Amino acid sequence: DLTLPPGSPLFAPFDGVVHGFEDAAARLDYGPVIVLRHDIPGDEPLTFYTLYGHLTRDSLDGLFAGKAVRAGERFA
């Protein structure tokens, strides 16, 4: 878990793609949330996901499943 001040930029830790996103607006839910999928190549390939919640609603603008995100790129 990371805790940052509201409005802080988020940068992708690794190359990946947008796996999913939504505004989970139910009481006590995550609010705007983005899930990135990271596929690490190699002799033993590794796939894992990172989840980012409690984002600003404008963080979801322009997203679509499969959108590429480069390591170090601001995505929210």
Side-chain angles (χ1 to χ4, degrees), residues 24-49:
R27 186 175 185 280
L28 302 177
D29 211 332
Y30 278 105
V33 60
I34 300 171
V35 178
L36 301 180
R37 185 186 79 228
H38 309 280
D39 296 308
I40 308 300
D43 292 338
E44 296 184 33
L46 174 66
T47 297
F48 64 96
Y49 301 83

Side-chain angles (χ1 to χ4, degrees), residues 1-73:
D1 285 336
L2 297 173
T3 302
L4 300 169
S8 295
L10 290 177
F11 301 91
F14 302 96
D15 288 347
V17 297
V18 175
H19 178 73
F21 61 96
E22 71 172 292
D23 188 354
R27 186 175 185 280
L28 302 177
D29 211 332
Y30 278 105
V33 60
I34 300 171
V35 178
L36 301 180
R37 185 186 79 228
H38 309 280
D39 296 308
I40 308 300
D43 292 338
E44 296 184 33
L46 174 66
T47 297
F48 64 96
Y49 301 83
T50 53
L51 182 146
Y52 305 88
H54 307 289
L55 305 173
T56 60
R57 286 190 168 73
D58 63 347
S59 295
L60 305 180
D61 292 346
L63 289 184
F64 56 89
K67 180 178 181 179
V69 179
R70 304 294 297 173
E73 178 181 345

